[in-house]
Structure formats: structure tokens, C-alpha cells
């Protein structure tokens, strides 16, 4: 690779770290539907249309959200390495797959929170199953909402029991409808990676509870085990967790990119505080249910993600102190 002025002045490390961080982002079915490349200090993020889920995500909404999450990791890694990123979203209408270009915009000392979030990039994992407890920390809850807002989205934390039950009903309805669809089932099975297989794209069998014998929670998970693949039971208590819907005011590609960046900022803030997230996007893949959810539970905004947030183990003192220090302003 030729040495550009950015590489000469800044060094390669921030850009290499950004590419590595991008690959750690969550993605629908673990498809990693992106290519992230560095050409002489200009990072390009492209959607990979071959990884679109034709049955589950025909409009590529979840594909673009996944790419947005990768974009947030790229930006964060540059910041954590002392580089201020300059992002051009959808820079070329002639090339719609080119979702973003990121360049260096001069040096910038990373803040405490940025370092903390960057430290969670590789550690963060999707949780499936019940939680030991809810988020249970008002300052962290405020920080989660602020993380979404900073990226142009809103995190609706559902505090009302009847709203949580209604949402659980929508997730259950969508999951049961989708379990009956053959093409969707075949598509899902293609992305389940068998136990002990090589690392790569897809949902790892170890990451979801076995379908038989697992207690039905009010928020059923996707049936990743349909192909007969068994996973391990998630560490479990009995808490549903703090239920949230991430929304945007608009819909369409720029909004989906914003939702992805907001999602990842929320997830890393949560991870920094010892909180994991479970996703339940099944009702958002059914246009009528998605519209209903937006209108009735999200004040007319466009729902982009359904999350449960909670703890799988008791909070660690050192982790809490570091986070409280970083959240001093919240
Ligand atoms: C847009 C989007 C939708 C997702 N929907 C679900 C879901 O409905 N159920 C689920 O268990 N995981 C869901 N996930 C999580 C992915 O399966 C997970 O990110 C992927 O398997 C990689 O694993 P990791 O997050 O542990 O790195 C979703 C992720 C994204 C970005």
C-alpha cells in the first residue's frame, strides 16, 4: 500500500485500529454486510449487497443499521488514537453502496469516556436470554439516552408495564409468524454457524440458548436453533431487563445510518457500565407491526431497534467507579 500524507504524518496505527474496530460491530444475523477499506488514510465503508437478507430485510434497513454500527466503531477508534474523524455520509449518489468516507481532520486528545467506550469494542457481545437484573442505575440510563441523542436518535426507555407487555406481545406475534415461513427459516439457517466451527460471519451456536427445554420468556428470541444446532444456556436470572426502543424522526438510508451509529454508541456505553443488550427486531421486519409500534408506543417516530438491557453478573466496583468518573457530567 502506498504511503499517503495521512499515513506519513499520523502513522498507520489509527487507521488499522479503525478497520479492526469496524469488524467488531454487531450485525443482523452476524452477516457483517460491509467492506471497510483504507486507501492512503481515507477509510471507505461500503454495503455488501451479497449479504442482504432477502427474506428478513428486503429493504436493507437492518443491513444499513449494521453498517452504521461499524461506522461508529471506525470513528471511535480514530478518536481513541488521537485523530478527529471527518465523515462524509453517502458521498456519491452514483455509488449508493458507498455509505461513508472517513478522513483525518487533525489531532484531538481523546476524552475519558471515549477511551472507556473504545475499551468495550472487543468485549461487547449480544446477549440472549434473561438477565440477573435491570440496568438499575439512573446515571447510566441518562448516559444511554444521551448516547442515542448525540447520534440523532431517541432511546425510548419503556417504564410503563403495560407498554412493555404490549411490546412483548408484538415480539411474540412476529416471532411465531416468522417461524412458519419456509424461505425465512432457510435464510436464517444459512447464517447459523455450527459449534466449534472456524471464526467468521454468522451467529455462533454458542451464543443462543437451545430451543428445546429453554423457558419461554415474554420476549422470545429468534429461533436460531431451527437447524437442530444446540447452544449453551445463557447465564440466567429471571429479569426481562430494561426494555427500550431506538427510534429516528425520519426513515430511509441517512436515518438508518444514524440509527446504527446510535445503537453502537448505546451498546458501548452499556458495556462500559457492565450492562449487556439483547435484540428483538422481529416485529420491525413486519411493516404493519412496525407502523403500529411506532404510532402506539413511540409517539409516531420510526422504530429502528427493540432492545432489552440488563446485567448478567453483579456490577464490579472498579468498572462502576471508572464509569461514574467518565459520566461525571450526566
Ligand atoms: C440490525 C440488527 C438486528 C439484530 N436483530 C437481532 C435479533 O432479532 N435477535 C438476536 O438475537 N440478535 C439480533 N442481532 C444481533 C446479531 O445477531 C449479532 O450482532 C451478531 O450475531 C454478532 O454477534 P455479536 O453482537 O455478539 O458480536 C441484531 C443485530 C443488528 C445489528
Amino acid at each position: 500500500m502506498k504511503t499517503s500524507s495521512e499515513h506519513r504524518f499520523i502513522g498507520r496505527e489509527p487507521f488499522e485500529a479503525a478497520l479492526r474496530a469496524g469488524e467488531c460491530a454487531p450485525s443482523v444475523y452476524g452477516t457483517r454486510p460491509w467492506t471497510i477499506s483504507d486507501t492512503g488514510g481515507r477509510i471507505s465503508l461500503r454495503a455488501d449487497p451479497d449479504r442482504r437478507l432477502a427474506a428478513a430485510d428486503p429493504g436493507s434497513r437492518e443491513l444499513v443499521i449494521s453498517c452504521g454500527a461499524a461506522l461508529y466503531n471506525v470513528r471511535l477508534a480514530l478518536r481513541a488514537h488521537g485523530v478527529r474523524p471527518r465523515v462524509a455520509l453517502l458521498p456519491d449518489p452514483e455509488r449508493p453502496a458507498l455509505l461513508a468516507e472517513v478522513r483525518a481532520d487533525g489531532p484531538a486528545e481523546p476524552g475519558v469516556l471515549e477511551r472507556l467506550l473504545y475499551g468495550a469494542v472487543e468485549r461487547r457481545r449480544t446477549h440472549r436470554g434473561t438477565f440477573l437484573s435491570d440496568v438499575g442505575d439512573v446515571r447510566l440510563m441518562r448516559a444511554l439516552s444521551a448516547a442515542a441523542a448525540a447520534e440523532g436518535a431517541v432511546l425510548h426507555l419503556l417504564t410503563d408495564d403495560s407498554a412493555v407487555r404490549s411490546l412483548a406481545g408484538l415480539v411474540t406475534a412476529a416471532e411465531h409468524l416468522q417461524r412458519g415461513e419456509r424461505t425465512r427459516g432457510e435464510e436464517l439457517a444459512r447464517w447459523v454457524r455450527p459449534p466449534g466451527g472456524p471464526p467468521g460471519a454468522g451467529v455462533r451456536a454458542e451464543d443462543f440458548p437451545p430451543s428445546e427445554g429453554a423457558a419461554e420468556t415474554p420476549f422470545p428470541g429468534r429461533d436460531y436453533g431451527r437447524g437442530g444446532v444446540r447452544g449453551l444456556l445463557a447465564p440466567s436470572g429471571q429479569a426481562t431487563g430494561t426494555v427500550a426502543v431506538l427510534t429516528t424522526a425520519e426513515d430511509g438510508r441517512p436515518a438508518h445510518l444514524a440509527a446504527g451509529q446510535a445503537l453502537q454508541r448505546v451498546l458501548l456505553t452499556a458495556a462500559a457500565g457492565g450492562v449487556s443488550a439483547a435484540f428483538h427486531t422481529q416485529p420491525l421486519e413486519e411493516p404493519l407491526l412496525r407502523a403500529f409500534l411506532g404510532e402506539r408506543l413511540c409517539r409516531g417516530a420510526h422504530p429502528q431497534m427493540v432492545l432489552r438491557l440488563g446485567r448478567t453478573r453483579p456490577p464490579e466496583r472498579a468498572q462502576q467507579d471508572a464509569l461514574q468518573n467518565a459520566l461525571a457530567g450526566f
Side-chain angles (χ1 to χ4, degrees):
M1 191 194 299
K2 112 177 182 304
T3 304
S4 74
S5 54
E6 266 86 353
H7 285 156
R8 226 180 354 256
F9 292 125
I10 301 169
R12 288 187 189 282
E13 174 52 18
F15 299 95
E16 287 170 357
L19 299 196
R20 282 196 303 274
E23 296 297 334
C24 294
S27 57
V28 61
Y29 288 16
T31 49
R32 301 188 190 169
W34 52 65
T35 52
I36 312 171
S37 55
D38 169 24
T39 319
R42 186 186 63 202
I43 295 179
S44 304
L45 170 71
R46 291 185 181 78
D48 180 349
D50 291 342
R51 296 198 168 196
R52 182 179 68 107
L53 300 168
D57 184 32
S60 298
R61 188 184 64 83
E62 293 179 274
L63 180 152
V64 176
I65 290 178
S66 307
C67 292
L71 175 59
Y72 181 75
N73 275 6
V74 166
R75 288 169 44 208
L76 179 66
L78 289 176
R79 283 295 280 119
H81 285 80
V83 176
R84 182 184 306 113
R86 178 156 43 93
V87 180
L89 292 178
L90 302 165
D92 185 352
E94 302 286 312
R95 290 183 293 162
L98 180 60
L99 297 179
E101 282 184 340
V102 188
R103 292 168 194 262
D105 194 24
E109 191 57 30
V112 186
L113 188 56
E114 277 150 349
R115 288 182 206 271
L116 208 59
L117 297 190
Y118 181 63
V121 162
E122 289 189 17
R123 206 174 62 235
R124 179 217 59 82
R125 290 252 80 84
T126 298
H127 175 74
R128 297 184 176 89
T130 52
F131 290 106
L132 194 61
S133 67
D134 296 352
V135 175
D137 173 340
V138 175
R139 199 183 260 185
L140 180 55
M141 301 261 273
R142 278 207 296 270
L144 296 174
S145 297
E151 301 298 330
V154 175
L155 189 69
H156 294 261
L157 295 162
L158 303 192
T159 45
D160 175 354
D161 244 19
S162 65
V164 170
R165 268 200 293 272
S166 303
L167 182 55
L170 294 178
V171 170
T172 307
E175 176 57 25
H176 286 294
L177 285 171
Q178 291 168 2
R179 281 184 194 185
E181 289 172 25
R182 196 171 53 84
T183 48
R184 186 186 277 265
E186 287 166 359
E187 182 174 81
L188 183 58
R190 279 200 294 278
W191 289 100
V192 174
R193 216 159 1 115
V203 181
R204 299 178 314 175
E206 299 86 289
D207 290 343
F208 55 87
S211 48
E212 282 169 46
E216 273 294 344
T217 68
F219 281 84
R222 278 199 211 269
D223 186 16
Y224 290 108
R226 187 194 306 258
V229 182
R230 293 291 193 84
L232 303 172
L233 260 177
S236 76
Q238 286 306 312
T240 300
T242 303
V243 178
V245 185
L246 185 75
T247 68
T248 51
E250 309 291 330
D251 217 4
R253 285 209 156 190
H256 301 158
L257 271 177
Q261 293 175 85
L263 171 70
Q264 185 62 358
R265 192 158 171 165
V266 166
L267 296 178
L268 293 178
T269 305
V275 164
S276 310
F279 302 76
H280 295 274
T281 40
Q282 304 100 315
L284 305 184
E285 294 167 358
E286 303 293 329
L288 290 176
L289 295 185
R290 184 171 179 234
F292 179 86
L293 203 168
E295 202 171 296
R296 297 300 295 270
L297 297 178
C298 308
R299 298 189 207 110
H302 298 279
Q304 305 294 359
M305 291 297 290
V306 174
L307 309 170
R308 290 183 297 114
L309 297 152
R311 296 184 187 278
T312 57
R313 60 173 78 99
E316 282 167 29
R317 187 64 200 267
Q319 195 176 40
Q320 293 311 299
D321 289 350
L323 184 75
Q324 293 303 335
N325 180 25
L327 296 182
F330 287 91

